[in-house]
Amino acid sequence: MAEIDKNAYKGVWVYIEQVDGQARGVGHELLAQGRMLADKLGQELAGVIIGHNVEALAKEVFASGADKVYLVDAPELAHYSTDGYAAVFTDLIQTYKPTAILLGATNDGRDLGPRVSCRVSTGLTADCTGLDIDEKTGLIAWTRPALGGNIMATILCPEHRPQMGTVRPKVFKRPEQDFSRTGEIVRVASKVKAEDIRTKLVDVIRIATASVNLEEAEVIVAGGRGMCTPENFCLIDQLADVLGAAVGASRAAVDAGWKSALNQVGQTGKTVGPKIYFACGISGAIQHLAGMSSSDIIIAINKDPDAPIFKMADYGIVGDVMEVLPILTEEFKKIKA
Ligand code: FAD
């Protein structure tokens, strides 16, 4: 492969994933990290917005720290499609040559990122949980769990550009927005035609109800194998109901068929960052902690006083979930009444 002129690549980009004109939270979380990386490199931070009738998002992107927005707005791009968005993104990279690109490790980001990185012949570090600049080389240091979550690996991309990575939602906090900030909007025409997109969106069926909107939830009540039966899991649902919380589950509870994979928190599930996380009958395996350790307050209920979850918890209740959960639900009901 021909050597590339790495000096020609400048600037940090963040992909601003949007659905129906609303930016997903992870875009803002990544703008905060992108700002930190761009400042350390002494380079610009840009947001990439692709969609239709999405120019209004630029204001929010500037408010979250970007200097520039690359905007590709066309009717064919109204909904995410692999063909359309990958073609547009590849074109943007080949024209404007950023040194680094951050995308959310969401369904769309996990589809788009690898495809684009392959088209521009570079590497991508998936599912990162830490970002920095490597002091020796000035490269982006992408950190992610490896070997089943037992070690953290830091990965560099020395030979190719751009350096690309997907980052899990809720690993990083959203920045404080400053709406007095403005920036430059670079409007780029889309070369994608409707016939280039091989998939057609026929219908959108919303299966993610409020109770599984884990990534945005402020309170999560999660249950594990300690709930013992699917019937007992309704104790989790009842507490969540009273608190207006989302319902989470450990992989053991999901594997047992008590909850859908949409509810799974952890390394192979969702990464969450609520204000309060109730871990009920969950032991605290490293793969579960990987998904919820950035919660502000963790409350653990477990009958084993030596369960590892208590090392991470801010408040611990040593007891049987079948007894403790109904008491909590009743008490919270009284407070609400
Ligand atoms: P257990 O470890 O069996 O713990 C059950 C707990 O309930 C125990 O601490 C017990 O004391 C307590 N208990 C039992 N009865 C009661 C009672 N009546 N009242 C109170 N407490 C009680 N796991 C995830 O959760 N998410 C992931 O994304 C994930 N990804 C993984 C990826 C890989 C590659 C691997 C290898 C594993 C992954 N796991 C994941 C599995 C993980 O290692 C654990 O097996 C799992 O988290 C255990 O779930 P648990 O805590 O519900 O069950």
Side-chain angles (χ1 to χ4, degrees):
M1 187 183 294
E3 212 167 286
I4 56 158
D5 175 11
K6 291 172 209 142
N7 293 326
Y9 289 77
K10 292 243 166 353
V12 176
W13 286 8
V14 171
Y15 173 56
I16 308 299
E17 185 176 328
Q18 56 82 28
V19 180
D20 298 334
Q22 302 289 314
R24 296 200 58 179
V26 67
H28 293 283
E29 293 155 25
L30 294 189
L31 284 167
Q33 291 305 300
R35 183 72 270 162
M36 175 274 290
L37 297 173
D39 288 345
K40 285 193 177 181
L41 292 170
Q43 296 182 9
E44 248 176 15
L45 173 66
V48 175
I49 306 176
I50 304 172
H52 186 43
N53 294 329
V54 285
E55 182 159 349
L57 287 178
K59 262 192 199 155
E60 284 185 38
V61 173
F62 294 135
S64 288
D67 306 303
K68 198 182 252 181
V69 159
Y70 291 97
L71 174 70
V72 190
D73 195 309
E76 296 75 33
L77 303 171
H79 300 286
Y80 177 78
S81 69
T82 310
D83 286 334
Y85 278 49
V88 164
F89 216 120
T90 304
D91 195 32
L92 285 174
I93 293 171
Q94 286 166 344
T95 310
Y96 297 100
K97 297 185 168 35
T99 191
I101 303 177
L102 317 182
L103 302 98
T106 58
N107 290 344
D108 288 358
R110 283 171 169 163
D111 181 57
L112 181 64
R115 193 164 297 252
V116 169
S117 74
C118 198
R119 289 199 189 173
V120 297
S121 304
T122 191
L124 177 141
T125 308
D127 269 12
C128 296
T129 54
L131 296 168
D132 208 343
I133 300 293
D134 177 60
E135 278 185 13
K136 267 199 210 144
T137 57
L139 295 165
I140 311 288
W142 310 88
T143 299
R144 54 153 301 153
L147 298 177
N150 290 315
I151 61 161
M152 298 302 281
T154 296
I155 295 164
L156 307 179
C157 177
E159 302 301 337
H160 299 276
R161 293 292 179 276
Q163 306 161 77
M164 292 181 69
T166 58
V167 180
R168 288 187 151 221
K170 289 284 181 184
V171 170
F172 298 109
K173 297 277 176 213
R174 285 175 77 117
E176 288 288 322
Q177 288 188 301
D178 172 3
F179 282 91
S180 66
R181 291 186 90 261
T182 53
E184 182 194 353
I185 300 181
V186 181
R187 291 178 185 77
V188 182
S190 163
K191 294 179 193 151
V192 173
K193 294 185 225 73
E195 56 269 30
D196 298 334
I197 301 173
R198 289 170 294 174
T199 48
K200 297 282 165 266
L201 181 70
V202 179
D203 198 1
V204 178
I205 301 164
R206 296 189 191 278
I207 51 167
T209 60
S211 72
V212 290
N213 192 9
L214 289 168
E215 283 141 328
E216 312 288 334
E218 300 222 320
V219 182
I220 294 174
V221 184
R225 203 193 317 260
M227 297 310 298
C228 298
T229 67
E231 292 73 34
N232 290 336
F233 219 93
C234 72
L235 298 175
I236 298 283
D237 296 328
Q238 284 164 3
L239 178 59
D241 234 28
V242 174
L243 296 172
V247 173
S250 71
R251 179 153 141 186
V254 171
D255 287 349
W258 303 344
K259 276 286 155 189
S260 137
L262 290 171
N263 297 83
Q264 185 176 317
V265 173
Q267 189 187 317
T268 41
K270 291 183 175 149
T271 306
V272 299
K275 292 197 171 131
I276 306 178
Y277 188 90
F278 287 87
C280 313
I282 293 177
S283 59
I286 189 160
Q287 295 89 356
H288 188 80
L289 301 182
M292 45 64 83
S293 57
S294 61
S295 307
D296 291 347
I297 296 175
I298 296 168
I299 302 172
I301 309 167
N302 199 303
K303 67 178 183 186
D304 174 6
D306 297 322
I309 191 76
F310 286 128
K311 291 205 179 88
M312 174 70 70
D314 299 279
Y315 299 95
I317 302 173
V318 179
D320 187 329
V321 278
M322 315 312 162
E323 288 168 21
V324 177
L325 281 172
I327 296 171
L328 285 180
T329 304
E330 280 316 304
E331 290 305 312
F332 282 120
K333 262 189 202 159
K334 283 185 206 158
I335 296 169
K336 274 189 91 180

